[in-house]
Amino acid sequence: MFRTALRNVLAHKARLLMTVLAVMLGVAFVAGTLVFTDTLSNAFRNQSAKSYDNVAVAVTSYANQDDAKQEPGLSQQTLDKIGRLDGVASVTGRVDGFAGVADPDGKLIGVGWSNKGSNFAPGKDGKDPAYDFTEGSGPVKADQIALDKDTATKGEYKVGDKVRVATNGPVKEYTLAGVFTTEDGAVSAGGSLVLFDTSVAQHLYLKPGYFKDVTVTAASGADDARILDAVEPLIPENAEAKTGAALADEQARSIEEGLSSLNQMLLAFAAIALFVGVFLISNTFTMLVAQRTKELALMRAVGASRKQITRSVLAEAGVVGLVASVVGFALGVGLAVGLRSGMAAFGMKVPDGPLVIGTTPVLAALGVGVLITMLAAWLPGRRAAKIPPVAAMSSVHAVATTKSLVVRNSIGAFITAAGAALIVAGAAAGSDGRMLIGGGAFFALVGVIVLIPLLSRPVIALVRPLLVRAFGVSGKLAGQNAVRNPRRTGATASALAIGLTLVTGLSVLGVTVGTALDKMTTDQIKADYMVAMASGGDLDKSALAALEKAPGVTAVSPQQSSSFEVKGEWVSASAITPGDIERVLNVELVNGSLDSLGKGGIAVAEKTATKQGWKVGDTLPVTFNDDKKGSLKVGAVYKDSEFLSPVLVDTKVVAPHETKPYIPQIFVKMDGGQTAANEKALVNALGDNPAINVMDKQDIRDQFGGMINMMLNIMYGLLAMALIIAVLGVVNTLAMSVFERQQEIGMLRAIGLDRRRVKRMVRLEAVVISVFGAVVGIGLGSFLGWAIGQTIKSSLPGYALVIPWDRIGIFLGLAALVGVLAAMWPARSAARLNMLNAIKAE
């Protein structure tokens, strides 16, 4: 029986090709994901271990700069004490923060959030062990810096050149003293690294004489654990010491956790692709078995048992799955290499290291590919084995009846109803209902797939008159062929339905959230510009002073993050400029007056006021960040805003209690609105600082909605593989359908249907099946998008469901195009059939 199965595989190479492709793509994604994450994990682990190779003990401080009683970091005196301990060879102090480098055009080099500045810390030999200099040397003067090699190359800087560097304060110009290579994570993430002289770095990021981190190297033969025990009593309470080995292990675990989410996401899409592939495989084997019914019946008649017939089909599937798995694994390794190169192309450097191919990806690829194929082929094989030999030989079994679908339809209806009920219950539960929706989505999708054969008849019947009117006989025949075998049509349409369910659900949710964010931006921001750091950090107060003096500015207010304690409970506050805040942001009053802010009062958001029981006129006892006490009077209550904290207060009220204000954004209103001249005036006022973004309203919209669009595009790209497999399913179905209907096509040709109309018939059949699957997927996807949206509705003001009709139209158009493309080969084959040979075909 195995030899028979092998001969059948070789005899049906062309028909099994699509199945091989479907399994191969799914396996490639699984294997590629596992190899890629193993390679990345190994590279980062090695880099982490390398960075702690010579570190016996590392100390990190966690200082609160608003706490005057607490040391801001680790003092030089502490470093000196550690350096005198037995077994300590050297002690190095580090301090770091944001630093951005301008290119020759004045633009920021690198990704803002990963642009970093630190200090050059030379040892007795004048070298810093953390950096290898390829040109020049480290900075030893206040006006010198050193740059990592990638940043120097991008900026076209050479030793001796003047370089403009931005930190949280004004831009300054430094002389480039050297260029170095490094394994620093900031540079690996696509950012930049600037080294300053230690005293300059301390002044910029902490306080003169203090360090944020300290690394201790051990003398030969010294024990790291003993050094750790000796270091711990010397460091302040706000610092923590660990051995280098412990930190390397900790960072390795952190890398594993960070990559696990990426791994899970990619594997989820691989699972979707394989799930779609199951329908293609099952469809293929169903048709192959149907075409070989008489052959299998003859085998039964000469002594083969039912189990042997089933095993023969499963063996055939196993051979196909094995071939597809081997090819898919090789393709997956190539995919892993491509993903690694792709990260480098997007500016994310991956540490050097070998391609890691472990046993897990190999076993997963073979196991998944073979098992999925055999699972999908089991039901057709079992069905074939149950047909009595005499009935199979006389083709009595082949008569299709509607009754055969009754049990299937009843089960499908029940599962669909249960899934829909769970989805509705999850939507009603709000943010706590997402798990319910996830479970309901699974059952609803399975139920709809089971019901698709039943749905195909009435849905396709609706479009059949249009096909007849538009395309005549070809359209009529295409409509009849599409519903001739509901199971086959359903299995083919299911693959497209699954992919488009996910794509449509993501689109509905993404467009709805994007529209809500856009509306929120438009409705709540009156300012012409928002100023913020490219790094996402805080602006220096000098930026606010510069903007207040800029020409053409009519109103300017920071959105300064602050807080204070009221009756034992901390309250977040936005420190703003009274009189200007209502000109740059839409502050809707419930009662009271914002004029009270200029008199030292506060304004409270409506929800907070209701929760705390505060009302206009109340005087609240407060404790500020420096532990000083005072009282603030509630002068107004306003509607909650995403751009403002629960309390508004004048910057002058909190200024005496904060050593360094935290200003994430500044809003600016200008005479003449948004113009190129006004934007240039603000850029000039800020000293042409490459690290500060001056954003107009469209930039603000893009900042809030850009991440959503980027995520949608990534999802579309990943789901494209599932749609490719769906296309293969349509091709496979049509090709086998044409093969089955050779006699019929020959008769049609004999009675006058020309080749052009035969091609059109097959194409229209493909389009009908594809669009039917798309309609089902779009309907279910829109329902899921609505349900998930209900769970985030409460946290997103202005949320309203938006159906992206333009995208849905594109999806339907693409589905029709899929049908046309998928039908090219089968339609051509059908048109080229010799009518006499076709009529004689068995």
Side-chain angles (χ1 to χ4, degrees), residues 710-728:
M710 186 180 75
M711 290 299 295
L712 277 177
N713 290 333
I714 291 172
M715 296 297 183
Y716 289 160
L718 292 170
L719 287 169
M721 190 176 69
L723 295 177
I724 290 170
I725 294 174
V727 172
L728 296 177

Side-chain angles (χ1 to χ4, degrees), residues 239-260:
E240 182 182 22
K242 291 182 179 179
T243 63
L247 281 171
D249 291 342
E250 200 173 275
Q251 197 167 57
R253 284 194 299 271
S254 177
I255 290 166
E256 294 280 356
E257 291 170 7
L259 290 173
S260 67

Side-chain angles (χ1 to χ4, degrees), residues 737-747 833-835 837-839 841-842:
S737 179
V738 167
F739 179 82
E740 281 184 355
R741 287 153 39 201
Q742 286 185 75
Q743 277 189 333
E744 176 189 319
I745 293 169
M747 288 295 295
L833 282 174
N834 182 291
M835 64 181 77
N837 290 336
I839 291 169
E842 282 291 331

Side-chain angles (χ1 to χ4, degrees), residues 352-363:
D352 292 332
L355 189 70
V356 178
I357 303 176
T359 55
T360 302
V362 176
L363 294 175

Side-chain angles (χ1 to χ4, degrees), residues 43-56:
F44 282 116
R45 254 198 320 269
N46 289 344
Q47 183 191 49
S48 172
K50 184 179 177 182
S51 62
Y52 288 109
D53 265 352
N54 299 317
V55 176

Side-chain angles (χ1 to χ4, degrees), residues 737-806:
S737 179
V738 167
F739 179 82
E740 281 184 355
R741 287 153 39 201
Q742 286 185 75
Q743 277 189 333
E744 176 189 319
I745 293 169
M747 288 295 295
L748 290 171
R749 289 290 316 283
I751 61 175
L753 195 69
D754 60 22
R755 288 184 175 182
R756 182 172 55 85
R757 285 189 286 180
V758 169
K759 285 183 180 179
R760 185 184 298 164
M761 175 187 74
V762 177
R763 288 196 197 104
L764 289 173
E765 183 181 345
V767 170
V768 166
I769 293 173
S770 298
V771 173
F772 166 60
V775 168
V776 173
I778 287 168
L780 185 55
S782 299
F783 179 49
L784 288 175
W786 163 80
I788 298 170
Q790 293 299 109
T791 66
I792 61 175
K793 186 176 180 179
S794 59
S795 60
L796 193 61
Y799 176 92
L801 182 67
V802 178
I803 302 295
W805 296 110
D806 54 342

